[in-house]
Amino acid sequence: MMDQLNREQLQITATVERVTFRNAQNGFCVVEMNTAGDFFTAVGELPEVAAGEELTVCGNWTTHGTFGRQFKIESFSRTLPDTTAKLFTYLSSGAIKGVGPKLAMKIVERFKDRTFEILETEPDRLAEIRGISPRLAKEISQEFMRQFAMRKVLIELENYGITPSESTSIYKYFGAGAMNTIRQNPYVLCNIERGFTFARVEDLVQTMELSPDPAYRNTAGILHVVKHNLYNNGHTCLPRRKLIAPCAALLELTEDEVEIAIDSMLDGNLLYSEILNGEDFLFLPDIYIAEREIAERMKTILRFPPAGFSNLEKEIDNSEERNGMFYAPAQREAVRLACEKGLLILTGGPGTGKTTAVKAVLDVFENHGLQVLLAAPTGRAAKRMSDVTGREAKTIHRLLEVEWTENDKPNFGRNAEYPLDAQALIVDEMSMVDCELFANLLDAVPFGCRLILVGDADQLPSVGPGNVLNDLIASEKLPVVCLTEIFRQAQQSLIVTNAHRIIHGEQPVTDKKDSDFFFMERNEVLSAADCIADLVARRLPMAYGFSPIHDIQVLCPSKKGTCGTFNLNRILQELLNPKDRIKNEITVSAARFFREGDKVMQMRNNYDIPWEKDGEEGQGIFNGDVGILEFINYAAGILKIRFDDRLAMYPVDHLNDLELAYAVTVHKSQGSEFDAVVIPVCEVPPQLCYRNLLYTAVTRAKKLEVLVGRSGVVANFTQNDRSHRRYSALKDFLCE
């Protein structure tokens, strides 16, 4: 086990003898170091470190059962090799491509302690050495200069408290001129993906004693306010009048000065403006373009529909006969519109036959010889779509053959120039799809391809900006079929009927015995938390045979409080995966640690994490993915986490992106279904106590639902139909 008690940090100056492990993605290394003949192992983020370098490392000694005593590096500074022996060690280590031990010896023997000076200022002289051609001399010099430039940037940034991994990201983003760029405008650091907050750059400006142009600060501050509202609250645009006061407060400017700064940003296309219903709204450029492109593409599909089917009613009759089904009138209408219009939005709650309607559309399409693709926004939603249709379904990202740039920007292989090979595309869980992803999907849909969008408009909207599904429906410009009839088989389920009662503002039925929906009254939050823990760990597994890890999911309205995810995860971790001397643990903070066997969730998109699935390799673990932590490898700085059928190699420096997942928020459960769901309904913050949230939680359960808490809180949920408003422009653009 790794001992990570908070102690006063130690400082050691030592030479790197050997790099035994390096993670090129994040700079995590395991190195053998030597200080006055005393050799030891050190681990930490050491980007571009090489044998022969002298490091001053700060950290603490740690010990674990497998690898013994190690020095865990929290920060470091470096000095380039300054003796002939160190120069030889550095060059022979393979740090510079094309130079091995023999060539390193020749270079050091020839230039001695001037070796680095020659590499930097007179690289042509390397060709004086037998075996080094002018071309090889140039390549060696270029590689050295690249590393030297990066080291120079890292060393300078480390002086200002910027971590090695942050420094690496900055160098990748800005290159060798990073420091010049930052000195001129330090606020560019706010632009890096997963970059610095505005507040942190403000502190950095004071530390570096910089005096950047005030316009840079004003622009960064206004963008900070806009991005906070768009990405934290899901808006795609904001009324200009609502931005003035918070921007003025943040930047300590007058409102007139903020207005002038916004006008300047509009002139420079850093913001876009549009008058909607008589009011001025501001957009970030990418999101404005995304909503505009969605609206224009939808209008084009309606204007130029694909050729219809002949004898369509007979086709539908034949589909019923093939599948032994009788399609309800609304389901038949869905098939008709999908075939005739080439565009359909299919929506409805649980038990209303969305799956049957989708299978009917799919059956008619395939019987007519169409090439059909299926997609959903998450891996779990795609897997469920595959299970119910018997056809392969992919995530939207995988369908679009996404690759990620070094700056973590998506680069979609499928687009207008290289469209999808499809004559029909069916997309499920559309309520989860944000405007930017949907715009990229539409860009890859070939002309004449039928598009079927399926989702429950009453569920929570996407995590990302936009309100796509609801805006498409609200525009009243597109073909929509809303399934409302609850079929007889579904009527037997209280989960289904109570979900419909909730969305219509009625109290759920909770007193029916031998049902699949239960309410357990607990007026005290401590009693409710104890009850939830007992249900998950003992009662439900004993009564129904559910696995507490794989089948049961606790869904909380909030992270905070006695019945929030933080506290319930702590309780459930100890019950379901208790401390064991054969299980490795790794600590993130005083209150957070992970243990082998833990159920965990990824909290944001990370496009660098490699994974393997049945011999196939890929990259990327996404917001909301749930997995089991199988193994902690301290020496390599890697965790092995199985996310469904993908085994991910998870770097330890990304642990802050993980949370325990015995209990998760309702928002994080979108697109997933669980055999059994337990929902705490007590001490819910007023801003989270609204109808759509409870409805979304209830509709995650397939076989069993248990609410624990106070009936008054359930009533508050069902009576409040005013969820947080999202500002968006897609509906307006569609109606133009």
Side-chain angles (χ1 to χ4, degrees), residues 21-30 44-49 76 150 154 163-169 172 194 604 606 608-610 619 635-639 649-655:
F21 173 83
R22 184 193 306 278
N23 185 320
Q25 294 292 332
N26 56 47
F28 183 89
C29 292
V30 179
E45 293 177 2
L46 303 169
E48 298 289 319
V49 73
F76 75 99
M150 183 173 184
L154 297 182
T163 68
S165 60
E166 289 171 338
S167 299
T168 303
S169 296
K172 286 181 179 179
R194 302 197 302 272
R604 69 167 187 83
N606 189 317
D608 297 329
I609 296 176
Q619 281 185 300
I638 294 291
L639 282 63
M649 303 295 108
Y650 202 97
V652 295
D653 62 324
H654 288 164
L655 281 178

Side-chain angles (χ1 to χ4, degrees), residues 180-320:
N180 290 334
T181 301
I182 292 169
R183 287 190 189 95
Q184 181 182 6
N185 177 13
Y187 294 96
V188 294
L189 293 174
C190 297
N191 299 332
I192 301 176
E193 190 74 17
R194 302 197 302 272
F196 289 38
T197 64
F198 179 78
R200 188 172 175 197
V201 177
E202 291 273 76
D203 292 338
L204 190 64
V205 169
Q206 299 301 318
T207 304
M208 299 178 75
E209 298 182 351
L210 299 173
S211 298
D213 187 326
Y216 293 141
R217 178 177 182 268
N218 294 344
T219 296
I222 292 169
L223 287 176
H224 167 76
V225 174
V226 173
K227 289 178 180 179
H228 174 80
N229 279 279
L230 267 54
Y231 290 107
N232 286 17
N233 299 321
H235 306 303
T236 65
C237 55
L238 292 166
R240 177 167 174 157
R241 60 180 171 81
K242 290 201 169 188
L243 282 172
I244 306 303
C247 289
L250 176 69
L251 297 168
E252 298 179 334
L253 299 175
T254 67
E255 293 192 354
D256 285 344
E257 287 172 325
V258 173
E259 294 276 15
I260 292 170
I262 289 175
D263 286 338
S264 177
M265 294 171 70
L266 290 169
D267 291 340
N269 292 325
L270 296 175
L271 292 173
Y272 282 19
S273 175
E274 191 80 35
I275 303 298
L276 305 175
N277 299 315
E279 183 165 11
D280 190 7
F281 280 77
L282 298 178
F283 301 74
L284 290 176
D286 288 348
I287 297 180
Y288 176 85
I289 292 169
E291 288 202 302
R292 275 289 182 196
E293 288 180 346
I294 292 170
E296 292 307 312
R297 187 57 194 274
M298 290 305 215
K299 292 175 184 178
T300 300
I301 294 175
L302 289 177
R303 197 178 304 123
F304 303 102
F309 296 174
S310 59
N311 300 319
L312 181 55
E313 293 301 320
K314 183 63 175 174
E315 287 263 17
I316 300 173
D317 292 341
N318 290 340
S319 176
E320 287 182 322

Side-chain angles (χ1 to χ4, degrees), residues 110 203 284 343 345 435 538 542 558 580 616 629 682 688:
R110 180 60 177 263
D203 292 338
L284 290 176
L343 175 61
I345 298 172
C435 68
R538 185 181 66 86
M542 287 181 61
S558 174
D580 191 313
E616 174 191 357
L629 173 53
C682 46
L688 293 175

Side-chain angles (χ1 to χ4, degrees), residues 415-686:
N415 47 46
E417 287 72 37
Y418 184 40
L420 296 167
D421 184 16
Q423 294 165 303
L425 172 64
I426 303 176
V427 184
D428 199 8
E429 294 289 355
M430 268 299 298
S431 63
M432 298 179 64
V433 180
D434 64 54
C435 68
E436 291 181 292
L437 180 58
F438 191 51
N440 280 291
L441 177 63
L442 290 180
D443 190 45
V445 174
F447 189 78
C449 178
R450 289 170 169 81
L451 182 63
I452 315 303
L453 307 175
V454 185
D456 186 344
D458 290 319
Q459 287 188 21
L460 294 170
S462 59
V463 174
N467 202 7
V468 175
L469 180 60
N470 278 285
D471 279 353
L472 294 176
I473 295 170
S475 73
E476 299 183 351
K477 299 293 183 181
L478 309 174
V480 177
V481 171
C482 181
L483 303 176
T484 57
E485 178 187 356
I486 305 176
F487 288 91
R488 181 175 301 174
Q489 184 177 358
Q491 289 176 356
Q492 307 307 309
S493 168
L494 264 188
I495 295 174
V496 171
T497 56
N498 276 339
H500 285 271
R501 290 179 66 87
I502 290 167
I503 208 60
H504 289 104
E506 302 172 15
Q507 282 287 93
V509 175
T510 59
D511 57 356
K512 187 176 180 181
K513 295 183 179 180
D514 299 323
S515 73
D516 55 5
F517 190 105
F518 298 93
F519 175 76
M520 304 185 72
E521 185 85 36
R522 295 292 187 276
N523 290 316
E524 299 297 328
V525 290
L526 288 174
S527 175
D530 289 342
C531 178
I532 290 167
D534 190 41
L535 283 167
V536 175
R538 185 181 66 86
R539 294 176 64 175
L540 297 184
M542 287 181 61
Y544 297 92
F546 291 138
S547 162
I549 300 289
H550 300 287
D551 299 330
I552 305 172
Q553 184 62 59
V554 179
L555 299 182
C556 303
S558 174
K559 292 182 177 182
K560 299 178 181 179
T562 306
C563 287
T565 60
F566 289 148
N567 187 55
L568 289 178
N569 270 320
R570 181 186 61 80
I571 295 171
L572 291 170
Q573 183 186 42
E574 291 307 307
L575 284 174
L576 302 179
N577 189 30
K579 190 178 184 67
D580 191 313
R581 63 182 181 83
I582 66 171
K583 291 181 180 179
N584 290 325
E585 296 179 4
I586 190 162
T587 300
V588 182
S589 65
R592 288 180 64 219
F593 67 91
F594 298 106
R595 181 180 291 142
E596 288 174 352
D598 272 336
K599 184 178 181 179
V600 296
M601 173 179 276
Q602 177 73 8
M603 302 308 290
R604 69 167 187 83
N605 292 341
N606 189 317
Y607 314 118
D608 297 329
I609 296 176
W611 52 260
E612 182 271 334
K613 169 188 172 185
D614 299 329
E616 174 191 357
E617 294 183 350
Q619 281 185 300
I621 300 297
F622 300 106
N623 192 350
D625 285 350
V626 174
I628 303 298
L629 173 53
E630 294 187 349
F631 180 64
I632 299 171
N633 186 333
Y634 294 121
I638 294 291
L639 282 63
K640 292 184 179 180
I641 304 177
R642 188 169 298 281
F643 292 94
D644 292 327
D645 50 0
R646 296 169 298 160
L647 183 62
M649 303 295 108
Y650 202 97
V652 295
D653 62 324
H654 288 164
L655 281 178
N656 282 327
D657 296 341
L658 285 179
E659 287 187 3
L660 292 173
Y662 304 103
V664 302
T665 63
V666 178
H667 284 83
K668 289 293 185 182
S669 73
Q670 286 179 268
S672 299
E673 284 187 340
F674 313 95
D675 283 347
V677 168
V678 180
I679 307 171
V681 283
C682 46
E683 64 170 5
V684 180

Side-chain angles (χ1 to χ4, degrees), residues 33-91:
M33 303 193 74
N34 174 13
T35 177
D38 183 14
F39 291 82
F40 64 94
T41 299
V43 298
E45 293 177 2
L46 303 169
E48 298 289 319
V49 73
E53 288 191 86
E54 186 176 86
L55 304 182
T56 298
V57 295
C58 296
N60 294 114
W61 291 104
T62 61
T63 305
H64 65 76
T66 306
F67 298 102
R69 194 167 184 250
Q70 296 178 335
F71 191 82
K72 187 175 187 303
I73 300 171
E74 299 295 340
S75 62
F76 75 99
S77 60
R78 70 174 96 209
T79 305
L80 287 174
D82 56 0
T83 68
T84 303
K86 290 179 181 178
L87 288 170
F88 170 72
T89 302
Y90 175 79
L91 291 175

Side-chain angles (χ1 to χ4, degrees), residues 88-89 91-94 98-108:
F88 170 72
T89 302
L91 291 175
S92 63
S93 69
V99 179
K102 290 183 179 179
L103 206 53
M105 180 62 73
K106 290 181 180 181
I107 294 172
V108 172

